[in-house]
């Protein structure tokens, strides 16, 4: 596995590979890797010749400084995990490599930046768009792989690709979960034992909501999810919305949309977790 820290080295290496006709798959991450990330690496390896992953904790997408400071960093372990998966290249840039000058670009993300995560994390998706467009320019992949755990993020990336005319296929991959249902996340490492025991209520309530939705209205289903999770003393729902999976507009009745997804954000002490489920 090749490890590069500068754009120039990576660029030269990839340009040579491309000249020999190799296709490039890309999996951007912020490190603290888990099975969710590895599932994306595996998918990239199955679908392209060369898999590039990046590890960069992007400051511009953190709207909360404490969250950035406390974000888990496990670089040595990450590198070992990527080696075990036979990832071909890992790009670990410094902040100066990604942002040689302060990035003040503002992207028009329309409604995608106004609802759910966009509403509660102002500036977050603009930061995501900044780093992903920068990484796309450097890596120049043919295909890029993103987890549906960050459902809204995938929608933002697809819009970005259209807006900036990137010739990159965006592939969304299913959510990987722990045995008790909890969506895998780097932030799960920050939970203490008692919090960790309680957070399985989030996914388990979403699973139950899918059953309930067959006999209940959208509003009743939403109320059930919010009430059930908030009844737990360790959990505090920030939002739960049932939206059309393409427009991300909230729906009021089940027949308003053919592909519906319920998205949730929950505070667990200082940690904020997200999850989603298809209805
Ligand atoms: P992050 O390191 O959190 O920026 O995540 C890097 C990529 O891994 C993103 O495309 C995430 O959506 C994806 N990812 C994170 N957690 C999971 C999960 N539990 N299942 C599938 N993909 C995930």
């Amino acid at each position: 596995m090749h490890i590069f820290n500068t754009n120039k080295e990576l660029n030269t290496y990839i340009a040579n590979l491309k000249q020999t006709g190799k296709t490039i798959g890309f999996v951007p991450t912020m490190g603290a890797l888990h099975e969710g990330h590895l599932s994306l690496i595996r998918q990239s390896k199955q679908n392209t010749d060369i898999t590039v992953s990046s590890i960069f904790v992007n400051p511009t997408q953190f709207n909360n400084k404490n969250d950035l400071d406390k974000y888990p960093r496990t670089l040595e372990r990450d590198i070992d995990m990527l080696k075990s998966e036979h990832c071909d290249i890992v790009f670990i840039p410094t902040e100066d490599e990604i942002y040689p000058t302060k990035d003040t670009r503002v992207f028009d993300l329309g409604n995608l930046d106004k609802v759910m995560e966009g509403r509660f994390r102002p500036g977050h998706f603009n930061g995501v768009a900044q780093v992903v467009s920068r990484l796309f320019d450097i890596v120049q992949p043919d295909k890029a792989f993103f987890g549906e755990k960050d459902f809204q993020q995938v929608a933002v990336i697809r819009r970005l690709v259209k807006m900036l005319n990137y010739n990159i296929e965006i592939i969304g991959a299913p959510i990987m979960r722990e045995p008790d249902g909890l969506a895998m996340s780097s932030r799960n490492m920050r939970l203490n034992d008692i919090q960790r025991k309680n957070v399985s209520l989030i996914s388990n309530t979403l699973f139950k909501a899918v059953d309930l939705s067959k006999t209940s209205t959208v509003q009743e289903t939403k109320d059930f999810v919010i009430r059930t999770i908030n009844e737990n003393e360790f959990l505090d729902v920030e939002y739960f919305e049932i939206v059309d999976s393409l427009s991300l507009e909230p729906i009021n009745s089940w027949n308003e949309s053919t592909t519906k997804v319920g998205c949730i954000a929950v505070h667990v002490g200082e940690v904020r977790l997200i999850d989603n489920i298809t209805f």
Side-chain angles (χ1 to χ4, degrees), residues 79-268:
I79 292 173
D80 287 345
M81 287 168 86
L82 291 171
K83 269 189 197 152
S84 308
E85 292 299 326
H86 307 289
C87 178
D88 300 289
I89 298 171
V90 56
F91 181 46
I92 311 174
T94 59
E95 203 175 320
D96 285 347
E97 282 294 316
I98 297 294
Y99 303 121
T101 56
K102 195 171 176 307
D103 196 337
T104 51
R105 281 175 302 169
V106 178
F107 294 87
D108 176 9
L109 300 169
N111 184 49
L112 299 182
D113 201 19
K114 296 185 182 67
V115 294
M116 302 192 291
E117 290 298 283
R119 176 164 161 234
F120 288 98
R121 299 186 69 189
H124 166 65
F125 286 126
N126 201 65
V128 169
Q130 286 174 343
V131 75
V132 170
S133 58
R134 205 46 202 122
L135 289 167
F136 280 177
D137 290 340
I138 298 166
V139 177
Q140 304 203 359
D142 299 286
K143 299 181 188 200
F145 299 80
F146 292 88
E148 279 167 2
K149 147 92 178 351
D150 299 280
F151 191 85
Q152 196 169 356
Q153 173 170 278
V154 183
V156 166
I157 308 286
R158 289 191 198 282
R159 182 177 170 111
L160 185 74
V161 163
K162 264 201 198 132
M163 257 175 10
L164 302 184
N165 270 316
Y166 282 114
N167 188 16
I168 302 172
E169 185 183 346
I170 302 302
I171 296 166
I175 304 177
M176 298 294 285
R177 297 183 178 281
E178 300 288 353
D180 67 354
L182 175 67
M184 289 182 178
S185 163
S186 305
R187 289 184 175 88
N188 293 349
M189 286 183 201
R190 295 184 54 205
L191 301 170
N192 65 31
D193 289 351
I194 182 91
Q195 288 170 331
R196 175 63 191 83
K197 283 205 181 83
N198 281 273
V199 288
S200 61
L201 183 66
I202 302 169
S203 53
N204 290 327
T205 304
L206 295 183
F207 302 148
K208 279 192 193 141
V210 173
D211 288 338
L212 185 73
S213 69
K214 290 169 189 142
T215 52
S216 307
T217 64
V218 170
Q219 193 57 50
E220 285 163 353
T221 308
K222 277 166 62 169
D223 291 347
F224 163 77
V225 168
I226 295 170
R227 191 181 59 241
T228 307
I229 296 177
N230 276 341
E231 268 165 14
N232 181 294
E233 59 176 312
F234 297 97
L235 309 180
D236 183 15
V237 175
E238 186 166 68
Y239 67 81
F240 174 64
E241 291 285 359
I242 301 177
V243 299
D244 175 76
S245 70
L246 294 177
S247 69
L248 302 190
E249 291 286 354
I251 58 163
N252 296 308
S253 71
W254 295 117
N255 54 15
E256 248 175 71
S257 155
T258 46
T259 51
K260 297 153 283 240
V261 59
C263 299
I264 193 162
V266 179
H267 287 278
V268 193

Side-chain angles (χ1 to χ4, degrees), residues 38-54:
L38 300 187
S39 72
L40 300 176
I41 300 284
R42 287 176 204 135
Q43 219 178 321
S44 172
K45 285 196 66 81
Q46 274 167 16
N47 286 280
T48 59
D49 299 322
I50 300 289
T51 292
V52 182
S53 187
S54 61

Side-chain angles (χ1 to χ4, degrees), residues 22-89:
K22 302 274 191 227
T23 56
I24 311 291
F26 181 42
V27 180
T29 83
M30 298 204 297
L33 302 185
H34 50 66
E35 275 294 314
H37 299 106
L38 300 187
S39 72
L40 300 176
I41 300 284
R42 287 176 204 135
Q43 219 178 321
S44 172
K45 285 196 66 81
Q46 274 167 16
N47 286 280
T48 59
D49 299 322
I50 300 289
T51 292
V52 182
S53 187
S54 61
I55 300 177
F56 178 65
V57 182
N58 172 37
T60 74
Q61 73 187 69
F62 283 82
N63 55 315
N64 176 332
K65 182 153 183 331
N66 186 44
D67 190 27
L68 172 62
D69 293 343
K70 299 256 174 82
Y71 199 83
R73 288 155 171 95
T74 59
L75 191 56
E76 293 308 314
R77 188 168 158 268
D78 294 347
I79 292 173
D80 287 345
M81 287 168 86
L82 291 171
K83 269 189 197 152
S84 308
E85 292 299 326
H86 307 289
C87 178
D88 300 289
I89 298 171

